[in-house]
């Protein structure tokens, strides 16, 4: 595994070295209490404070990082604080790391495959499965494997003998300050400069860069930032037979404007397998099967080339794409019901293609209802009483108290996209960079008032203003987005009998988690115009596929209900 990480904090065991050898990991260094192995493509660095950096770390100021707190990136840090061993994960873009007890120590691993054959209880956590079905994209430290915990971005695991404790070292709420009223030009300029600088940092030491360029605003901004940073790269865009998923005209315009070579790849529903086992097993449900066509098309185009994949993932989330009336409420709390607030109301209505009356009515209703207190629950196709009433806790929950609904929405959106960073199969064991989620960029965006993001009646208005001079106008100011509904419907209808068998005869149904009657009734429907509940069935099918793959894995014991 080229980018695997395996470590033992505490009592080192021969089995760890054997697992590392089996997966072609190389020893980095060993000091008392730590055994660390990484893949051949993983960068390592020793900092002045004695900690070992695994991955990329970029200084926030100056030319070097004396300690991990001096930098940002996608790093993991391992080291000592007195008698305490620690593993630390960078905020936001930190590489994934999972940990659990093994013998007298703590085992840490980046991938499930690295620990599948080690002697620990790898049964499925069914409480997690039920929770994941009800609270979509709510990623907490809990995983689908009993006894295994994820070290979340911006947190540190401290091990002192038999004790293990996790502390949060970064929070988005520290960057959500009191709203300011800087001019749009000034805010946009600051965002542009920081994003270009962050992209330039990511390109250091990377040779063959391939940009996934959809033609939408977010990936186009990354293209413009790469060009501004003087990076040499190529781009790849994917097109479906249906017009809704064909954005080649926009991608071509951006590639021409940024002087980037563009490869165009077509794919259709016949390359999508909605029922087969996932290619790779993960600590929690991973790849979305419905995106398998893109994954396979990418692999055909790129093959085994050693590349760095850049993309626009996270743009909607970081650039505060919020189609609610929350910016109006935040403006009213800050300015009172004056000209600025009514201007925001007009902007929100225009951005949503709604009337001013609709915006006023929904604002009044939202004010009376108050802020949403917890993650939204979805019980569609789930059995009554089978899922938890409350979501699992997350370190960022605490800071939400006292925050406006707009800022809660912004932080929640960032949390949602962090659940996607390791899902696509085409990214497995590859060098993937999400520049829009760079820590300095996110911190700037969190401080921007919500009403500024909708100024002029356009979503993501600050980002648009920042990069409009570098992009074709038809891309910088476009309102629509490419979609793949026609492709998804075709894949669903073609594989509907197999999906029905997978769900109604599967492990989730046997556990009593699913509403069999509702699911069977939906499978009998032929007219799906305007009804997107089939997406929900595909999400549930992904969870079923994951459960079956884990139960069939070597070294992973049966679920507790099967013993």
């Amino acid at each position: 595994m080229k980018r695997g990480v395996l470590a033992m904090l505490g009592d080192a065991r021969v089995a760890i070295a054997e697992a590392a050898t089996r997966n072609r990991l190389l020893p980095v260094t060993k000091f008392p209490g730590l055994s660390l192995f990484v893949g051949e493509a993983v960068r390592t660095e020793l900092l002045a404070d004695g900690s070992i950096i695994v991955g990329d770390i970029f200084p926030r100021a100056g030319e070097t990082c004396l300690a991990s707190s001096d930098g940002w990136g996608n790093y993991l840090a391992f080291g000592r604080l007195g008698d305490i061993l620690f593993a630390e994960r960078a905020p936001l873009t930190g590489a994934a790391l999972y940990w659990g007890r093994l013998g007298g120590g703590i085992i840490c691993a980046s991938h499930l495959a690295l620990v599948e054959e080690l002697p620990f209880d790898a049964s499925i956590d069914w409480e997690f499965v039920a929770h994941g079905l009800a609270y979509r994209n709510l990623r907490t430290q809990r995983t689908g494997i009993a006894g295994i915990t994820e070290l979340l971005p911006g947190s540190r695991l401290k091990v002192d003998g038999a004790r293990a404790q996790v502390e949060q070292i970064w929070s988005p709420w520290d960057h959500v300050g009191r709203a300011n009223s800087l001019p749009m030009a000034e805010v946009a300029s600051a965002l542009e400069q920081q994003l270009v600088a962050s992209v330039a940092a990511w390109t250091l030491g990377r040779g063959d860069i391939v940009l996934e360029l959809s033609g939408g605003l977010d990936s186009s901004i990354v293209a413009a930032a790469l060009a501004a940073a003087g990076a040499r790269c190529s781009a790849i865009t994917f097109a479906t037979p249906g017009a809704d998923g064909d954005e080649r005209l926009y991608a071509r315009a951006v590639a021409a404007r940024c002087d980037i070579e563009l490869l165009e790849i077509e794919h259709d529903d016949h390359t999508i397998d909605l029922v087969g086992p996932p290619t790779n097993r993960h600590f929690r449900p991973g790849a979305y099967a419905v995106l398998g066509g893109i994954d396979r098309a990418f692999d055909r185009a790129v093959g085994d080339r050693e590349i760095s994949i850049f993309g626009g993932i996270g743009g909607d989330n970081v650039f505060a794409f919020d189609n609610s009336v929350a910016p109006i409420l935040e403006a009213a709390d800050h300015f009172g019901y004056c000209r600025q607030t009514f201007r925001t109301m007009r902007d929100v209505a225009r951005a949503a293609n709604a009337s001013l009356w609709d915006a006023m009515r929904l604002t009044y209703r939202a004010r009376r209802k108050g802020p949403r207190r917890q993650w939204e629950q979805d019980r569609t196709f789930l059995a009554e009483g089978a899922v938890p009433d409350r979501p699992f806790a997350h370190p960022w929950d605490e800071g939400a108290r006292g925050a406006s609904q707009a800022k809660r929405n912004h932080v929640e959106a960032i949390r949602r996209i962090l659940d996607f960073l390791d899902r696509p199969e085409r990214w497995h064991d590859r060098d993937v960079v999400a520049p829009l989620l760079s820590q300095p960029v996110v911190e700037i965006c969190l401080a921007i008032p919500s009403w500024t993001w909708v100024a002029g009646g356009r979503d993501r208005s600050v980002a648009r203003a920042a990069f409009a001079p570098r992009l074709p106008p038809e891309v910088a100011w476009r309102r629509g987005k490419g979609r793949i509904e026609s492709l998804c419907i075709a894949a669903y209808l073609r594989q509907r009998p197999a999906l029905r068998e997978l769900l109604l005869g599967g492990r989730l149904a046997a556990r009593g988690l699913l509403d069999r009657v509702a699911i069977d009734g939906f499978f009998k429907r032929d007219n799906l115009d305007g009804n997107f509940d089939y997406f929900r069935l595909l999400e549930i099918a992904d969870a079923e596929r994951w459960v079956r793959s884990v139960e069939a894995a070597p070294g992973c014991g049966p679920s507790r209900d099967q013993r």
Side-chain angles (χ1 to χ4, degrees), residues 450-497:
S450 60
W451 60 82
T452 308
W453 286 110
V454 293
R458 296 183 184 274
D459 59 76
R460 300 167 287 175
S461 61
V462 180
R464 294 179 190 274
F467 285 89
R470 301 182 183 273
L471 293 173
E474 65 266 31
V475 173
W477 304 111
R478 66 178 295 200
R479 288 182 176 272
K481 283 177 171 285
R483 313 188 72 87
I484 56 172
E485 273 88 351
S486 60
L487 180 137
C488 295
I489 290 176
Y492 166 79
L493 292 175
R494 181 170 56 83
Q495 299 177 65
R496 181 166 44 170

Side-chain angles (χ1 to χ4, degrees), residues 281-301:
R281 284 183 289 270
H282 303 274
F283 287 99
R284 52 165 60 86
Y288 295 113
V290 75
L291 299 180
I294 295 177
D295 295 334
R296 293 177 179 87
F298 184 92
D299 287 340
R300 289 196 306 272

Side-chain angles (χ1 to χ4, degrees), residues 259-273:
D259 193 23
I260 296 175
E261 179 185 355
L262 179 65
L263 177 63
E264 301 175 6
I265 303 295
E266 296 183 4
H267 65 105
D268 58 34
D269 66 284
H270 291 283
T271 61
I272 297 175
D273 183 359

Side-chain angles (χ1 to χ4, degrees), residues 338-526:
C338 63
R339 180 178 299 178
Q340 173 61 57
T341 299
F342 285 103
R343 182 183 298 123
T344 300
M345 186 175 295
R346 180 199 62 198
D347 290 341
V348 168
R350 287 178 58 190
N353 289 320
S355 68
L356 191 60
W357 170 249
D358 287 334
M360 294 175 64
R361 177 173 52 84
L362 293 173
T363 300
Y364 174 75
R365 183 183 301 175
R367 174 69 76 186
R368 292 193 61 186
K369 187 176 181 180
R372 179 163 46 83
R373 298 298 179 183
Q374 65 182 36
W375 204 268
E376 189 174 1
Q377 187 186 77
D378 187 351
R379 292 179 178 266
T380 308
F381 297 128
L382 302 182
E384 187 69 28
V387 296
D389 292 327
R390 296 188 62 82
F392 294 158
H394 187 280
W396 295 359
D397 292 339
E398 189 67 25
R401 296 178 181 177
S404 69
Q405 185 63 62
K407 287 306 180 185
R408 292 183 186 211
N409 291 351
H410 197 175
V411 171
E412 183 176 297
I414 293 171
R415 286 177 61 181
R416 285 186 185 279
I417 201 60
L418 295 183
D419 185 47
F420 188 78
L421 291 181
D422 58 357
R423 283 184 179 265
E425 291 286 8
R426 66 186 181 279
W427 294 352
H428 179 74
D429 205 28
R430 291 187 183 270
D431 180 33
V432 180
V433 177
L436 301 184
L437 286 166
S438 299
Q439 183 182 341
V441 173
V442 172
E443 291 173 355
I444 281 182
C445 291
L446 285 170
I448 296 174
S450 60
W451 60 82
T452 308
W453 286 110
V454 293
R458 296 183 184 274
D459 59 76
R460 300 167 287 175
S461 61
V462 180
R464 294 179 190 274
F467 285 89
R470 301 182 183 273
L471 293 173
E474 65 266 31
V475 173
W477 304 111
R478 66 178 295 200
R479 288 182 176 272
K481 283 177 171 285
R483 313 188 72 87
I484 56 172
E485 273 88 351
S486 60
L487 180 137
C488 295
I489 290 176
Y492 166 79
L493 292 175
R494 181 170 56 83
Q495 299 177 65
R496 181 166 44 170
L499 276 168
R500 182 182 182 279
E501 181 179 352
L502 178 78
L503 291 180
L504 297 183
R507 295 286 292 121
L508 301 181
R511 289 284 304 187
L513 297 176
L514 305 184
D515 184 341
R516 295 174 185 248
V517 175
I519 291 174
D520 191 39
F522 190 86
F523 275 126
K524 295 175 181 177
R525 299 185 57 169
D526 291 321

